[in-house]
């Protein structure tokens, strides 16, 4: 809850701190390298900023709170070593120092914020509103207490935050972004280029003779590193996911039938009707109009025209009964025959005459047809319920020193044994290995050691993957005989690339000398093509590498780029460059200007905080910092 209160009440500060980490890293942590422990520190003081102090308790409270937050995000506890590797302690210290610097400057300037205004802001905070939408004193007291605050301490914290906001507004509140910057960004994103081009492929390289043994040997010696065998790892994977566990769960026919009956609305398509409606101010008007319709004195369409009802207001569309907000209108509409007109209907908001022009009958999917899906859904639901218990059992076995394959056998869970896989996910014969989707397993597996227990990886859809490295085959240099075929392929590709490059250079030289592009293409038997409205980013007809080269070439300029397969050569001429129109009133430009204004303001605030730190002097007590996070100062 403390995190929620901090986030809700100090959004700008988070941006300032994050900007500060990047913008004035040297300033912020200069003190780390000039004697981290000073005489005169209190035993419970982590840092001093001017006349202010950051105590161990103050630091530890935020540190532990952030650890719990990160643990909930990743689905597992964060260890002290992991927090240290991520630099969490210094990130939090940077935040607290930045806050303390601003508080100190506010005191120096004599800034104040009345209690009445603080109370007013708290009472307007949606966090503390009750069911009636008004400030709820009981809810406020409960949330503040849950966050570890007293009421007075919370109000004091809000006052400090408000004073920081005043400083931020005075420093960067009136910053405006230069329009020229926005124009440059709009042009960069939306400039269009048009080109004529030809593609030189392997066919244009001519016949490539077989390489001699000497040529192959030379290629091998020059490219030995490219032919090395990569490091392979013997990996065990134990995956717990709802879908995998569901495969071993049996669901009875009775359970399927019961679920079908309880969830019948899910498996039925409701009846829909095309409904037209003419609304009236009162029942008398509606009654008179209905009499005219009944007598044939006016048609439904003519009546709507008389009342100046737009087609969009006349036709309610093809709707189900549940789509109609007014129960009385819905009941009347779904009691009419197709083409029939209703009597006046007194609804919740109006009196109306209805006509149904089309009826689409509802359809209920038979149990026999939907039973396999229901069975699968029930199995997955039961699997999710047992997932946490199984996870704990696996963790307990790991803590007891068991291997993943032993755990899988004991708990009757499937384990995937991969005898050899490289970093790209392929076996020694080049075949891809089936790995869990949407999660990186190989990265962590290649970062750990043989037999080491590792933290489970959380699956996006729920579930866990444990991994263990059972063995490592180091990278090695392959012999010439092992890679002879690959060497020959590389030599051939090099020859093709060299010939195509020479040919592309020749074509480009002709174009630069003034030869007409169609004439050049015809002489070489190439197809002249055009590409229109190319942009730097987005969907283009040509590979990204070609587009990048096009945008480096001026109008009427000639260029050469490598095709998508690495061998083709694309020879092109830029025929036109079209800059986008810049409209300051356009919504996307307004949004861009707002983003730039925020970025400039944040950057200015970061510099301001950095300068304040330099002026006030920031001293860090490494011993107290180590004590706050539970390690020795020697680990710094």
């Amino acid at each position: 809850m403390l995190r929620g209160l901090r986030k809700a009440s100090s959004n700008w500060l988070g941006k300032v701190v994050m900007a500060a980490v990047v913008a004035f890293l040297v300033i912020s942590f200069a003190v780390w390298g000039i004697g981290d422990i000073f005489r005169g520190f209190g035993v419970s003081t982590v840092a001093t900023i001017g006349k202010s102090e950051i105590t161990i308790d103050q630091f530890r409270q935020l540190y532990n709170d952030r650890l719990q937050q990160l643990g909930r995000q990743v689905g597992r506890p964060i260890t002290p070593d992991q927090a240290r590797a991520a630099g969490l302690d210094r990130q939090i210290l940077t935040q607290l120092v930045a806050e303390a610097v601003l508080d100190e400057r506010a005191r120096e300037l004599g800034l104040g914020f009345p209690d009445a205004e603080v109370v007013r802001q708290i009472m307007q905070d949606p966090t503390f509103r009750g069911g009636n939408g008004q400030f709820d004193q009981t809810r406020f007291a409960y949330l503040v207490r849950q966050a570890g605050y007293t009421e007075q301490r919370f109000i004091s914290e809000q006052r400090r935050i408000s004073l920081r906001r005043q400083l931020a507004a005075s420093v960067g509140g009136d910053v405006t972004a230069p329009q020229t910057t926005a124009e440059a960004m709009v042009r960069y994103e939306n400039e269009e280029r048009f080109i004529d081009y030809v593609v030189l492929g392997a066919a244009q390289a001519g016949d490539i003779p077989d390489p001699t043994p000497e040529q192959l040997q030379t290629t091998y010696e020059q490219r030995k590193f490219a032919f090395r065998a990569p490091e392979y790892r013997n990996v065990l994977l134990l995956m717990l996911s709802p879908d995998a566990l569901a495969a071993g769960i049996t669901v009875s026919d009775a359970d399927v039938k019961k679920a079908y009956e309880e969830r019948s609305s899910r498996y039925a398509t409701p009846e829909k009707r095309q409904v037209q409606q003419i609304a009236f101010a009162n029942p008398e008007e509606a009654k008179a109009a209905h009499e005219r319709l009944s007598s044939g004195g006016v048609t439904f369409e003519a009546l709507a025209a008389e009342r100046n009802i737009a087609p969009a207001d006349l036709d309610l569309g093809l709707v189900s009964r549940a789509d109609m907000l007014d129960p009385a209108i819905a009941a009347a509409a779904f009691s009419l025959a197709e083409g029939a007109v209703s009597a006046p209907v007194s609804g919740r908001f109006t009196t109306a005459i209805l006509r149904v022009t089309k009826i689409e009958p509802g359809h209920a999917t038979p149990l026999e047809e939907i039973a396999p899906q229901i069975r699968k859904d029930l199995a997955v639901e039961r699997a999710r319920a047992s997932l946490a218990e199984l996870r704990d059992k696996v963790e307990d076995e790991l803590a007891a020193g068991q291997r993943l394959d032993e755990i899988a056998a004991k708990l009757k869970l499937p384990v995937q044994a991969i005898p050899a896989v490289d970093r790209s996910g392929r076996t020694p014969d080049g075949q891809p290995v089936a790995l869990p989707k949407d999660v990186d397993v190989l990265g962590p597996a290649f970062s750990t050691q043989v037999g080491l227990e590792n933290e489970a990886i959380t699956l996006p859809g729920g579930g866990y993957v444990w991994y263990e490295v059972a063995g490592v085959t180091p990278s090695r240099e392959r012999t010439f005989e092992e890679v002879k075929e690959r060497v020959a392929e590389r030599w051939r590709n090099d020859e093709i690339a060299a010939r195509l490059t020479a040919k592309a250079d020749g074509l480009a030289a002709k174009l630069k000398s003034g030869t007409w592009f169609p004439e050049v293409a015809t002489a070489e038997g190439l197809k002249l093509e055009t590409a229109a409205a190319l942009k730097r980013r987005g969907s283009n007809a040509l590979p990204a590498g070609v587009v990048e080269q096009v945008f480096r070439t001026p109008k009427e300029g000639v260029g050469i780029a490598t095709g998508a397969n690495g061998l083709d050569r694309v020879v092109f001429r830029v025929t036109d460059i079209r800059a986008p129109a810049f409209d300051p009133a356009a919504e996307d430009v307004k949004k861009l200007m707002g983003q730039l204004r925020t970025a400039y303001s944040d950057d200015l605030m970061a510099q301001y905080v950095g300068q304040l730190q330099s002026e006030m002097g920031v001293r860090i007590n490494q011993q107290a910092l180590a004590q706050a996070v539970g390690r020795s100062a020697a680990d710094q």
Side-chain angles (χ1 to χ4, degrees):
M1 184 56 65
L2 177 60
R3 290 189 304 277
L5 296 174
R6 280 183 178 275
K7 183 176 180 182
S9 58
S10 57
N11 291 337
W12 72 269
L13 188 56
K15 295 181 180 179
V16 170
V17 173
M18 291 307 295
V21 172
V22 177
F24 58 91
L25 190 61
V26 175
I27 297 175
S28 296
F29 289 112
V31 293
W32 296 92
I34 56 173
D36 296 316
I37 304 174
F38 295 82
R39 296 181 183 275
F41 271 114
V43 293
S44 63
T45 301
V46 172
T48 61
I49 304 95
K51 297 179 181 180
S52 299
E53 291 185 349
I54 298 172
T55 66
I56 287 179
D57 289 342
Q58 184 182 358
F59 180 90
R60 184 181 288 146
Q61 182 179 22
L62 182 56
Y63 180 80
N64 291 336
D65 191 59
R66 194 68 56 80
L67 272 182
Q68 294 175 16
Q69 177 187 20
L70 292 174
R72 281 193 284 269
Q73 289 176 350
V74 301
R76 63 176 184 275
I78 303 298
T79 67
D81 287 342
Q82 290 172 329
R84 179 188 178 191
L88 182 63
D89 51 352
R90 299 203 176 195
Q91 291 174 27
I92 291 174
L93 187 58
T94 299
Q95 175 184 339
L96 290 174
V97 167
E99 292 175 350
V101 161
L102 293 173
D103 293 344
E104 187 73 12
R105 176 47 56 96
R107 280 192 290 271
E108 291 176 356
L109 295 175
L111 298 180
F113 207 79
D115 287 347
E117 181 61 21
V118 176
V119 172
R120 186 189 68 80
Q121 291 183 358
I122 291 174
M123 293 184 69
Q124 291 181 346
D125 191 330
T127 305
F128 306 124
R129 291 177 184 169
N132 61 358
Q134 302 299 315
F135 177 77
D136 187 328
Q137 178 65 38
T138 303
R139 177 177 173 80
F140 168 74
Y142 171 76
L143 292 177
V144 168
R145 188 171 58 253
Q146 286 292 102
Y149 283 97
T150 63
E151 182 174 320
Q152 192 56 46
R153 179 170 162 240
F154 179 72
I155 292 175
S156 297
E157 176 68 13
Q158 297 310 297
R159 180 183 295 105
R160 284 193 292 272
I161 290 170
S162 296
L163 291 175
R164 293 169 198 158
R165 286 174 176 162
Q166 287 186 21
L167 284 173
S170 65
V171 172
D174 294 330
V175 171
T176 57
Q179 184 169 300
T180 51
T181 302
E183 289 182 26
M185 294 180 69
V186 169
R187 171 156 187 161
Y188 183 87
E189 288 293 330
N190 298 307
E191 180 183 281
E192 295 179 340
R193 299 208 171 194
F194 298 73
I195 65 169
D196 291 336
Y197 70 97
V198 294
V199 178
L200 300 175
Q204 281 71 48
D207 293 331
I208 307 296
D210 292 335
T212 64
E214 292 77 14
Q215 289 173 323
L216 289 180
Q217 191 65 42
T218 299
T219 300
Y220 171 74
E221 294 296 336
Q222 293 176 342
R223 306 283 186 90
K224 272 187 178 181
F225 185 80
F227 302 121
R228 284 184 66 88
E231 176 183 313
Y232 290 98
R233 296 207 163 195
N234 182 344
V235 179
L236 298 175
L237 299 179
L238 176 58
M239 184 169 71
L240 286 183
S241 70
D243 288 338
L245 294 176
I249 295 177
T250 301
V251 178
S252 68
D253 292 340
D255 288 343
V256 171
K257 184 178 180 181
K258 181 180 178 182
Y260 177 78
E261 293 171 350
E262 292 175 348
R263 309 172 185 181
S264 57
S265 60
R266 296 188 190 180
Y267 313 123
T269 302
E271 176 184 324
K272 291 188 175 183
R273 296 189 168 209
Q274 193 84 28
V275 180
Q276 294 177 328
Q277 170 183 288
I278 300 177
F280 297 88
N282 53 65
E284 291 73 21
E285 276 189 37
K287 181 179 179 182
H290 183 258
E291 290 174 353
R292 293 176 63 198
L293 287 170
S294 301
S295 65
V298 67
T299 64
F300 196 86
E301 290 81 1
L303 181 61
E306 281 181 13
R307 302 185 64 79
N308 295 319
I309 298 175
D313 296 328
L314 176 67
D315 198 332
L316 301 182
L318 188 64
V319 294
S320 67
R321 188 165 186 154
D323 294 332
M324 303 185 73
L325 301 179
D326 193 314
I329 299 290
F334 277 79
S335 65
L336 292 173
E338 185 171 335
V341 176
S342 74
V345 182
S346 296
R348 184 182 298 171
F349 308 107
T350 187
T351 299
I353 294 176
L354 310 173
R355 183 172 70 171
V356 173
T357 60
K358 181 181 178 181
I359 297 177
E360 286 188 359
H363 170 69
T365 305
L367 173 61
E368 297 75 18
E369 185 177 329
I370 200 67
Q373 184 62 47
I374 296 177
R375 196 181 305 277
K376 180 180 178 181
D377 291 343
L378 290 175
V380 170
E381 290 172 12
R382 295 175 185 178
R384 289 187 186 280
S386 64
L387 191 61
E389 181 181 354
L390 277 172
R391 177 201 60 201
D392 293 342
K393 288 182 179 180
V394 172
E395 292 289 353
D396 290 343
E397 294 296 331
L398 285 171
Q402 298 296 305
R403 286 167 48 102
L404 286 182
D405 51 354
E406 296 170 338
I407 296 172
K410 182 175 181 178
L411 300 180
K412 297 181 180 179
L413 297 172
V415 64
Q416 182 181 2
I418 307 173
V421 63
D422 65 15
R423 291 178 183 270
S424 69
R426 295 185 177 275
T427 61
D429 60 359
Q431 297 302 311
V433 175
L435 295 168
K437 295 180 179 179
D438 302 323
V439 67
D440 178 22
V441 174
L442 293 181
F446 273 83
S447 301
T448 188
Q449 299 176 12
V450 174
L452 192 66
E453 178 186 339
N454 304 288
E455 291 286 341
I457 300 170
T458 303
L459 294 172
Y464 308 89
V465 178
W466 287 267
Y467 60 95
E468 180 181 321
V469 176
V472 176
T473 303
S475 174
R476 66 177 179 85
E477 189 176 281
R478 291 190 177 106
T479 65
F480 175 74
E481 292 301 324
E482 285 182 275
V483 293
K484 188 174 181 179
E485 291 184 2
R486 289 180 56 194
V487 172
E489 182 182 1
R490 174 59 65 90
W491 179 88
R492 178 179 175 79
N493 288 340
D494 289 347
E495 283 294 304
I496 292 174
R499 291 191 183 192
L500 293 180
T501 298
K503 195 156 194 172
D505 289 341
L507 295 182
K510 291 180 181 180
L511 293 173
K512 290 176 182 179
S513 68
T515 307
W516 193 35
F517 209 152
E519 181 181 335
V520 172
T522 301
E524 296 293 334
L526 300 171
K527 180 182 178 182
L528 181 62
E529 300 183 72
T530 62
L534 296 174
K535 290 188 176 182
R536 283 185 172 87
R537 289 187 285 201
S539 178
N540 289 307
L542 294 172
V546 177
V547 174
E548 181 180 352
Q549 192 63 34
V550 167
F551 275 86
R552 292 178 179 174
T553 306
K555 186 176 180 180
E556 298 302 331
V558 176
I560 301 172
T562 302
N565 63 5
L567 294 179
D568 292 352
R569 297 295 183 266
V570 178
V571 181
F572 62 87
R573 182 194 295 277
V574 178
T575 58
D576 194 14
I577 298 176
R578 296 182 187 175
F582 182 80
D583 180 8
E587 287 302 317
D588 57 339
V589 174
K590 288 181 180 178
K591 182 178 179 181
L592 175 60
M593 290 295 290
Q595 293 171 343
L596 287 173
R597 185 164 50 251
T598 300
Y600 276 101
S601 178
D602 288 351
D603 184 62
L604 190 60
M605 190 63 191
Q607 294 181 49
Y608 177 68
V609 173
Q611 181 62 32
L612 289 181
Q613 286 185 251
S614 180
E615 292 175 2
M616 295 178 183
V618 179
R619 299 193 304 165
I620 310 299
N621 184 347
Q622 292 284 19
Q623 288 182 338
L625 177 63
Q627 179 183 343
V629 298
R631 65 168 184 268
S632 66
D635 292 334
Q636 291 293 327

